[in-house]
């Protein structure tokens, strides 16, 4: 079946611009996660959606970062006024429910010039 | 103390060698455990779950020691294709997000 998909695969933007990254989870998965991974570093948790519960936003690094999940499916991560330190690979994952095996998308490589 | 700790390596081993990684976790109430593999510039992928009784999948063996709060991954007869970063993953409780370690890098050489 279809896995987690993310778009775009690559995004180059100028400092100060806003960007939107999209994630399509596996159908039927109620849990969705966003992570960030800088070159050579580990995964940095950003935000977690579980069903209709309030999202766990504890990993968002600043108020420039926000995410929403519409209809319990597709999610969008928005970064406002991008900075060079935002350059990283942004990974989305979904799981059947929270705490279960996570399946990752291929990621969006963001470069802020 | 970090929730999940791993030796970052790199572990450089020759083909055919046996190599083992350990990972410690801080939350004694943690419910489930996994090993993920991440190839260079790729997304992490599930390698295997770790069961209380220990489990084996081909050349890979995973074990859990709840008393000492660590999990291990043993790779026998290493192949060049095993070169990757191995991520230790812990579920601290039901319906919780998973906690990922920073990974242990393995390089298998000729």
């Amino acid at each position: 079946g279809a896995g987690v998909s993310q778009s775009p695969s690559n995004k180059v933007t100028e400092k100060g611009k806003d960007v939107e990254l999209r994630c399509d989870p596996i159908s039927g998965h109620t849990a969705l996660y966003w992570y960030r991974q800088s070159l050579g570093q580990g995964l940095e948790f950003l935000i977690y959606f579980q069903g209709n519960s309030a999202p766990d936003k504890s990993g968002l690094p600043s108020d420039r970062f926000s995410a929403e999940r519409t209809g319990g499916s597709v999610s969008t991560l928005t970064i406002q006024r991008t900075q060079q330190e935002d350059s990283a690979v942004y990974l989305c994952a979904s799981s059947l429910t929270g705490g279960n095996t996570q399946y990752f998308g291929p990621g969006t490589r963001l470069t802020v010039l | 103390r970090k929730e999940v700790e791993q030796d970052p390596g790199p572990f450089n081993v020759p083909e055919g060698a046996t190599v083992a990684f350990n990972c410690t976790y801080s939350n004694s109430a943690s419910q489930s455990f996994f090993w993920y593999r991440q190839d260079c510039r790729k997304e992490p992928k599930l390698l295997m779950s770790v069961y209380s009784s220990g489990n084996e999948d081909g050349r890979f063996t995973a074990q859990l020691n709840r008393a000492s709060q660590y999990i291990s991954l043993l790779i026998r007869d290493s192949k060049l294709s095993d070169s990757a970063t191995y991520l230790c993953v812990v579920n601290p409780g039901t319906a919780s997000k998973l906690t990922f370690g920073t990974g242990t890098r393995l390089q298998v050489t000729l």
Side-chain angles (χ1 to χ4, degrees):
Chain A
V4 178
S5 61
Q6 292 186 245
S7 61
S9 54
N10 281 283
K11 176 73 177 177
V12 180
T13 190
E14 293 178 350
K15 180 180 171 182
K17 301 278 191 184
D18 297 352
V19 294
E20 280 190 358
L21 313 180
R22 177 188 168 108
C23 172
D24 280 88
I26 293 172
S27 178
H29 279 195
T30 65
L32 186 148
Y33 313 78
W34 283 99
Y35 297 89
R36 177 167 74 173
Q37 189 171 36
S38 301
L39 191 63
Q41 302 298 309
L43 292 175
E44 178 186 0
F45 165 76
L46 297 177
I47 188 168
Y48 160 48
F49 295 90
Q50 172 57 64
N52 295 321
S53 303
D56 177 351
K57 304 181 183 179
S58 60
L60 295 178
S62 76
D63 58 9
R64 296 187 296 105
F65 288 72
S66 62
E68 61 177 25
R69 188 178 185 194
T70 52
S73 182
V74 171
S75 177
T76 303
L77 177 70
T78 301
I79 309 173
Q80 296 178 309
R81 305 180 302 280
T82 52
Q83 304 294 312
Q84 288 183 329
E85 61 262 29
D86 298 335
S87 296
V89 175
Y90 288 81
L91 290 160
C92 174
S94 71
S95 64
L96 200 57
T97 60
N100 289 114
T101 303
Q102 291 182 17
Y103 299 87
F104 284 82
T108 294
R109 185 172 300 277
L110 174 67
T111 304
V112 182
L113 301 175
Chain B
R1 181 183 174 185
K2 286 184 182 178
E3 290 182 71
V4 178
E5 290 202 69
Q6 295 184 253
D7 181 341
F11 283 60
N12 294 300
V13 302
E15 255 193 318
T18 295
V19 62
F21 313 130
N22 277 349
C23 161
T24 59
Y25 60 95
S26 60
N27 185 345
S28 60
S30 295
Q31 302 268 326
S32 52
F33 309 86
F34 309 86
W35 283 102
Y36 275 67
R37 170 194 169 130
Q38 186 172 25
D39 292 291
C40 189
R41 300 173 78 86
K42 296 285 190 180
E43 73 272 23
K45 292 185 178 178
L46 177 69
L47 177 66
M48 58 198 303
S49 301
V50 185
Y51 303 125
S52 297
S53 55
N55 49 300
E56 189 174 305
D57 182 0
R59 298 180 294 108
F60 298 83
T61 301
Q63 290 194 313
L64 167 64
N65 185 318
R66 284 195 183 273
S68 300
Q69 293 180 213
Y70 75 84
I71 67 172
S72 63
L73 177 67
L74 181 80
I75 306 175
R76 288 180 301 278
D77 188 24
S78 299
K79 311 288 184 193
L80 291 174
S81 57
D82 294 334
S83 298
T85 296
Y86 291 83
L87 303 171
C88 171
V89 186
V90 175
N91 173 11
T94 55
S96 296
K97 61 184 186 288
L98 301 180
T99 302
F100 284 76
T102 53
T104 296
R105 189 170 155 224
L106 171 65
Q107 184 67 48
V108 181
T109 57
L110 289 171

